[in-house]
Amino acid sequence: MLLDCHVHTSEHSPCSVMTAYKACATASAAGLDAMALTDHHYLAGQAEIDALMRHFPGLRLYPGIEVTVAEGFDMVVLTPRGASPATEFRPRPFLGLDELERQLRPMRDDCFLFVAHPFRYQDRRTADLESVLAFADGVEVNSINILKTKPTWNNGQAQPANAELYEQAARDFDLVRLTNTDAHQENALGCLANSLPGQPPAEPAELNHLLRTTPPQPHQNPERLKKILGKSGFLSLFGL
């Protein structure tokens, strides 16, 4: 299966210009089998997710949330269920790792946490970054956001110019390596994904356990990527 674990929608992420419905339609057309909705500080409700899957039965959707922690980095949390009135996990912006751990404790074993684009603004590991990496299960080693600075091409595959920083962090902290789009606009979807064996699990907790135990393989669509990463392609993601 092809899975994108990092997608933003305009309903809940001000930086996105893509509705959840359009994201699902584009992902389906691009050949994705599964996708996680990971808006900034918003965990999609289970009813929202179920309604979208009724429109797109061939696309499995999973709940997630991107949280900016007090340590200065973004963490994506894939949860075992979507939000409901009984959900106690409601992280505020810039909460500390201690508070995030406290809120996640009742369901931590069924979650999957990864650090998004940790070397976007820096080329070294700080104590704060190392504490975030130590807390996570995975690290995003490639995405449209990561590639925007200046990608390098090797055998037709796009890699970040500072790819070794991501690789070293993954090795040192024994983290699962993830390749996502971090999509904010529909033309990003399908460019990058994680390839995993079998069909998308029916339950989010099953997916989260699968990610921990079966390292995904990176998937790229070079032609779609080149259109985005060309001279003006990345700016076009944001309508500029």
Side-chain angles (χ1 to χ4, degrees):
M1 68 166 167
L2 292 181
L3 163 73
D4 191 340
C5 297
H6 192 176
V7 174
H8 296 279
T9 71
S10 58
E11 288 93 340
H12 304 294
S13 290
C15 51
S16 176
V17 295
M18 170 179 61
T19 66
Y21 186 94
K22 190 64 177 178
C24 291
T26 306
S28 295
L32 291 182
D33 302 296
M35 183 170 70
L37 301 177
T38 57
D39 284 305
H40 294 285
H41 303 106
Y42 177 84
L43 179 61
Q46 193 59 51
E48 297 174 70
I49 292 171
D50 291 343
L52 285 166
M53 285 197 293
R54 284 195 291 271
H55 285 289
F56 301 96
L59 181 69
R60 176 66 61 178
L61 296 177
Y62 299 104
I65 182 172
E66 183 172 346
V67 181
T68 302
V69 295
E71 288 75 9
F73 297 90
D74 296 320
M75 302 196 76
V76 175
V77 184
L78 302 183
T79 60
R81 55 189 174 276
S84 70
T87 303
E88 296 182 6
F89 180 50
R90 300 182 186 278
R92 68 184 186 280
F94 304 111
L95 81 172
L97 284 179
D98 289 347
E99 174 62 16
L100 181 60
E101 191 279 331
R102 186 194 68 78
Q103 289 197 28
L104 285 174
R105 196 173 299 152
M107 57 179 178
R108 180 64 179 93
D109 289 345
D110 291 327
C111 291
F112 185 88
L113 279 70
F114 67 87
V115 187
H117 40 64
F119 298 106
R120 176 172 48 171
Y121 299 125
Q122 62 189 57
D123 284 326
R124 63 187 181 90
R125 293 216 307 248
T126 61
D128 280 338
L129 175 54
E130 293 199 339
S131 66
V132 169
L133 292 168
F135 185 67
D137 304 305
V139 59
E140 191 173 66
V141 299
N142 209 351
S143 73
I144 297 297
N145 203 328
I146 292 172
L147 289 170
K148 69 181 182 182
T149 51
K150 184 180 178 183
T152 61
W153 293 87
N154 184 19
N155 295 323
Q157 300 289 295
Q159 299 295 329
N162 57 355
E164 181 52 34
L165 285 172
Y166 289 93
E167 180 61 26
Q168 189 66 50
R171 287 197 300 266
D172 289 350
F173 290 88
D174 193 23
L175 297 173
V176 175
R177 298 157 177 81
L178 295 173
T179 299
N180 301 305
T181 59
D182 190 3
H184 291 69
Q185 186 163 319
E186 59 200 73
N187 60 350
L189 288 166
C191 292
L192 297 166
N194 302 282
S195 179
L196 288 153
Q199 297 300 309
E203 297 298 327
E206 294 178 56
L207 173 71
N208 297 337
H209 287 289
L210 178 65
L211 286 170
R212 287 183 181 179
T213 58
T214 307
Q217 297 300 308
H219 170 84
Q220 293 192 15
N221 184 317
E223 293 308 312
R224 291 174 70 93
L225 266 178
K226 287 175 184 176
K227 290 179 181 178
I228 291 177
L229 299 174
K231 186 173 182 181
S232 61
F234 184 78
L235 294 179
S236 73
L237 281 171
F238 301 96
L240 299 175

